[in-house]
Amino acid sequence: MENKLFYDKKTGWHRISDTDEAAMHAYAEGYKAFLDEAKTERDAVKWLTTVAEEKGFSAYVRGMDVHPGDKYYKINRDKGIILFVIGRNGMKHGINLSAAHLDAPRIDIRTIPLYEDNGMALFKTHYYGGIKKYQWTAMPLELRGVVCRVTDEGVQSIDVRIGDKPGDPLFVISDLLIHLATDQMGKTLHKGISAEDMNVLIGSKPSKSDMETSDKIKLWVMEFLNQEYGITEEDFLSAELSCVPAFKACDIGFDRSFVGGYGHDDRVCSYPAATALFDLEDIPEKTAMTILVDKEEIGSQGVTGMQSQFFDTLVGDLCRADGTLFDECMERSTCLSADVCNAFDPNYPSVSEKRNDARANCGVALVKYTGSRGKSGSSDATAELMAKMRHCFNKNGILWQTGQLGKVDQGGGGTVAMFMANRNIDTVDCGVPVLCMHAPFEVIAKLDLFAAYNAFKAFYTMQ
Ligand code: MN
Ligand code: MN
């Protein structure tokens, strides 16, 4: 007799059909292409805008007359994007909303970055997000971002992207050779690499110019950048340049069941959240929306983060056009805070709670609460909302599980969930389990990625 009294976390491999497995691998190919293309939030917004337009979405402008089935996007300063499909009930019954982030840990180039030292030219950096600094040395890096020049006509943005085209040069942060690392090896992992030593090697060739300076190598770099992009050193003051890992996303394992790559956190949630919305076949009852934001990795503050009023302003505009009270729309909305959680790692079982942590291949994970030291900093979803999502996922045959962030008092973390919940929106975290989270090369299971896509699709049409 089947035991229906016990809850069992099951791997999706026991129930997947050959057709679904083929669909899963095909979906992962699209995702890998997205990972390679969109390594910064600006890249991601560009990609999402292009695909959204192909899928029939158009730019929303305040005051527009909107109708059920209309598909729109609104871009926040090129670093965030909200995509939505107007439901049959407009804004009146609230929104089914997913919120994911497009930023990922990386190495930002400092405001005044360029200098020459002992025959080499380097960039000063300031790391972005929570990283283990030693993981980012002695590996190839690309340079991506934007430099804003000030011209007589106004501000001119110049895209910089070096490293992803065949034959492009790459960059590197050096690490100490093991032969001279006696002192370094005695330090803790935390102190082994100091942030001020994470300078990026960018050249060593002196300029032949007779311009007066002792920094001829720095001069060569500026001559090159001036020729290539028309910029001077002062233009760095109005730039956002980042070094990101240069390797491409790839399959992992003999069976190709995993994807390895940079920035799964949180592209492995933003990609399914967006593509599920693109692929909605029927007009949903409630308005379906995904908000993809910047700055989650440093606290969600700022004009492009989840705490920004950008989201509220858009919802306010839509409610006004619809004759719906803004507060009423908020309290009737449901949000899946689409962010990754940790996957149980057999190499590090001691920090995990094997009953409660998510497992790779067991599906998209609903995480009731995050936080640390007694749930501090968590919004803790209600039992009622957990039940509502259980019902939605089970009814639609979604492969899902629950997740938690390791052993109690081992560490912790947070997501954008609390910022949505603070807006009086019922919110729960829901995302893909990740191995080596925040490392330059993270790993996820394809089954879980595909499960997330199906879960978001079911959620957007939830009554
Ligand atoms: Mn995240
Ligand atoms: Mn993160």
Side-chain angles (χ1 to χ4, degrees), residues 31-32 34-35 101 103-105 249-250 252 258-272 297 338-340 432-445 449:
Y31 173 59
K32 277 151 58 186
F34 170 69
L35 279 186
H101 66 94
D103 60 321
C250 60
I252 296 282
F258 295 102
V259 176
Y262 163 64
H264 284 313
D265 177 8
D266 185 29
R267 292 174 180 88
V268 74
C269 296
S270 25
Y271 183 80
E297 294 297 355
D339 209 343
V340 298
V432 172
V434 177
L435 288 169
C436 354
M437 194 191 298
H438 283 207
F441 191 78
E442 303 173 316
V443 178
I444 59 100
L449 165 72

Side-chain angles (χ1 to χ4, degrees), residues 61-74:
V61 182
R62 176 172 300 142
M64 263 182 168
D65 235 357
V66 301
H67 306 96
D70 285 359
K71 301 168 178 187
Y72 293 105
Y73 64 83
K74 190 156 177 77

Side-chain angles (χ1 to χ4, degrees), residues 347-365:
N347 279 341
Y348 302 96
S350 66
V351 299
S352 296
E353 209 294 295
K354 66 176 189 298
R355 283 169 205 85
N356 281 290
D357 281 12
R359 306 181 82 91
N361 294 310
C362 291
V364 66

Side-chain angles (χ1 to χ4, degrees), residues 368 380-390:
K368 189 174 183 298
D380 204 351
T382 61
E384 288 81 355
L385 179 58
M386 288 297 285
K388 193 166 148 183
M389 294 319 303
R390 267 177 67 196

Side-chain angles (χ1 to χ4, degrees), residues 384-402:
E384 288 81 355
L385 179 58
M386 288 297 285
K388 193 166 148 183
M389 294 319 303
R390 267 177 67 196
H391 176 67
C392 171
F393 289 172
N394 285 340
K395 196 178 72 181
N396 289 282
I398 306 299
L399 177 67
W400 73 279
Q401 59 182 324
T402 56

Side-chain angles (χ1 to χ4, degrees), residues 60 91-92 95 312-330:
Y60 173 79
M91 305 302 278
K92 286 196 171 53
I95 313 167
D312 312 71
T313 304
L314 172 68
V315 174
D317 288 344
L318 292 170
C319 284
R320 215 169 302 118
D322 192 58
T324 302
L325 287 175
F326 174 81
D327 295 344
E328 208 162 73
C329 175
M330 287 295 196

